Each structure stands twice: as C-alpha cells, then as structure tokens.
Amino acid sequence: MRGWHCPNINNDGYPDIAVVALDTETFPVYLSDKKGGFLEITARSGMSLLSNSMSGYSPNIADFDNDGWKDIFVSRGDVQSLNLAPGRAIEQWNTVFRNQPDGKWTALTEEAGFNTQGKGRHRGSAFGDLNHDGKLDLVVTALSGPAEIWLNDSPNSNHWLEISLQGTKSNRDGIGTSIRVTAGGETQYNHMTTATGYASSSAGPVHFGLGQAKVVDEVEVRWPSGIVQRLRNIQVDRVLHIVEGE
C-alpha cells in the first residue's frame, strides 16, 4: 500500500477511503457504512479490473470534470529500480478514474492526455486551479525527472464553485472546516484540508463541481470553533470568500 485519501466519494456526507498499491494488488476503495466502519467496494465498483495492472503512488479525490461527483487521480510508477527489474512496467502513465453516478469507475489515461509526455516513476501529486478557469489542474513529481504540470482542458460546460475560508476564532486557513453545498437538487460535502496524496499538499480553496446547476441554493459552513454559517442563492463559477462569523 502506498498513499491514501479520504474525502467523501458518493455524496452521502461520510468520509470514504481510496488507497493505491502495486500491480496485481489493485487500488482498494472503501465507503463509509455510516456506523464508524467501512465497506470495501473495490470489485463491485470495477476498480479491481481497472487497476490490477497498475502501480500507484499518490491518490487525490476531487471533481476534475465538474459533474458533481468526485473522481480519483493516481500518480503511477513502480517502486522497483529500472536496472533490477527488466521487463517489468516500472515507468507508468498517470490515470484519472472518473466517478459515475451508478457507482462504477472509468479509467482515463489516454483520454485525459496523460500519455502525451511519456511514462515516469511518478510519486507525489497535488491539485488546484492553476490558471483560474474553474477546472482543477495537477502537479506531479517523478524520480529522476522534472515535475509535471497538467492543465485541465476537459471539454464541458459544467459549472463550479470554490470556497475560500478565513478563520477568526478557528485557525486562519479554516483547516478542518466542513462544507455542505446544495445545487440543482443535489447535495455535496467536502472539508478544508491541504493534506492529500503521497507526501504532498494541495492548495485551497475548497472546490465543488456543480454540473449544469446555474445557482447554488445553499452553502453551509461548519467551522472547528462550532460556528455555523449558511449562505443562500449563490452565483456559480466564482470563488466565494467566507470569513468566520461574518
């Protein structure tokens, strides 16, 4: 097992877990049973077959196509030395697993453009909207190679909202704050954290893909201090700055 990440995957408000491992070990996925435990869905979600030949290092759970369902990006590369494992797939392409509403995953490698710059022994990865176009981009490191910047040019018209937090009674960055967003009849959950993937740290704000929803009905923010704020009828495709208690 290598890296792991645990935001909410299926929009039920409970934290789930995605883990990466080496080839033939698959990338396990666990959903919360809402009772303090977790249910493994690796096989039934299709992840076993998709990831069986892959070696992963750094998973990141985020909505890369802004459809309202969080996807899983995995930086890939084996732990073996190139010189000690001839014939084994040491250098690999990265992959994003698209989360579908029916609970199944689709593995996108070539479709996502990850095979355009060659394979590598990829390690850490982090995400953020680097060019401020509302789509999450990626930065990936590799052994004996330069860091890679992957700009997201997904061809869709889905909307989005990013929430920038400023704590007053809580910590300044709002780390640990949970957020619920309701838009287009759907509800999503996320929380503020910079700890993602393997030995990596991702930038805020907290990102939500909204699909075709043209307005956010309600944003609920629960700060570590216990303060709860609710904002309604929020314009989409923007960064919403929220100061604790205001």
Side-chain angles (χ1 to χ4, degrees):
M1 300 287 182
R2 310 308 302 175
W4 59 278
H5 199 197
C6 59
N8 176 235
I9 292 175
N10 59 350
N11 290 343
D12 67 354
Y14 290 83
D16 307 307
I17 299 175
V19 184
V20 294
L22 300 178
D23 61 306
T24 73
E25 295 177 342
T26 75
F27 298 166
V29 181
Y30 302 87
L31 294 184
S32 170
D33 64 4
K34 305 179 184 180
K35 300 178 182 178
F38 291 88
L39 175 67
E40 184 182 358
I41 63 162
T42 314
R44 82 180 194 199
S45 68
M47 184 61 82
S48 292
L49 290 176
L50 294 173
S51 64
N52 188 60
S53 62
M54 301 177 179
S55 293
Y57 236 89
S58 180
N60 276 293
I61 299 174
D63 190 352
F64 293 102
D65 58 2
N66 284 340
D67 67 346
W69 295 89
K70 295 183 186 66
D71 311 297
I72 301 176
F73 168 83
V74 177
S75 66
R76 291 172 50 198
D78 203 277
V79 297
Q80 295 290 342
S81 167
L82 290 169
N83 297 325
L84 297 180
R88 185 168 179 173
I90 307 303
E91 296 182 313
Q92 300 185 20
W93 290 306
N94 300 315
T95 297
V96 60
F97 296 89
R98 175 181 286 163
N99 187 3
Q100 303 180 124
D102 63 358
K104 302 291 186 179
W105 299 98
T106 302
L108 306 179
T109 301
E110 181 178 355
E111 298 89 336
F114 292 130
N115 64 341
T116 59
Q117 294 186 16
K119 302 176 183 180
R121 289 181 289 168
H122 300 108
R123 292 299 184 257
S125 66
F127 61 85
D129 184 2
L130 301 180
N131 58 352
H132 305 292
D133 66 350
K135 298 175 183 178
L136 292 175
D137 308 303
L138 289 153
V139 177
V140 184
T141 64
L143 297 181
S144 301
E148 302 169 357
I149 297 177
W150 296 93
L151 293 181
N152 185 344
D153 61 356
S154 301
N156 63 58
S157 59
N158 290 333
H159 298 291
W160 55 277
L161 179 71
E162 290 196 334
I163 298 176
S164 174
L165 301 172
Q166 180 179 331
T168 53
K169 293 186 177 180
S170 301
N171 63 86
R172 175 62 174 75
D173 293 327
I175 292 175
T177 300
S178 60
I179 304 172
R180 176 173 59 84
V181 167
T182 302
E186 302 292 338
T187 299
Q188 300 180 53
Y189 302 83
N190 210 333
H191 63 283
M192 176 57 194
T193 181
T194 59
T196 61
Y198 168 80
S200 304
S201 182
S202 288
V206 183
H207 184 92
F208 289 88
L210 302 174
Q212 293 300 302
K214 296 181 179 179
V215 65
V216 173
D217 301 311
E218 183 177 80
V219 174
E220 180 184 88
V221 178
R222 293 182 175 270
W223 299 86
S225 66
I227 292 176
V228 179
Q229 292 171 258
R230 295 181 179 88
L231 297 86
R232 296 179 175 87
N233 298 319
I234 304 299
Q235 179 183 349
V236 301
D237 300 337
R238 58 177 289 203
V239 177
L240 176 64
H241 185 66
I242 301 177
V243 179
E244 184 176 12
E246 295 185 3

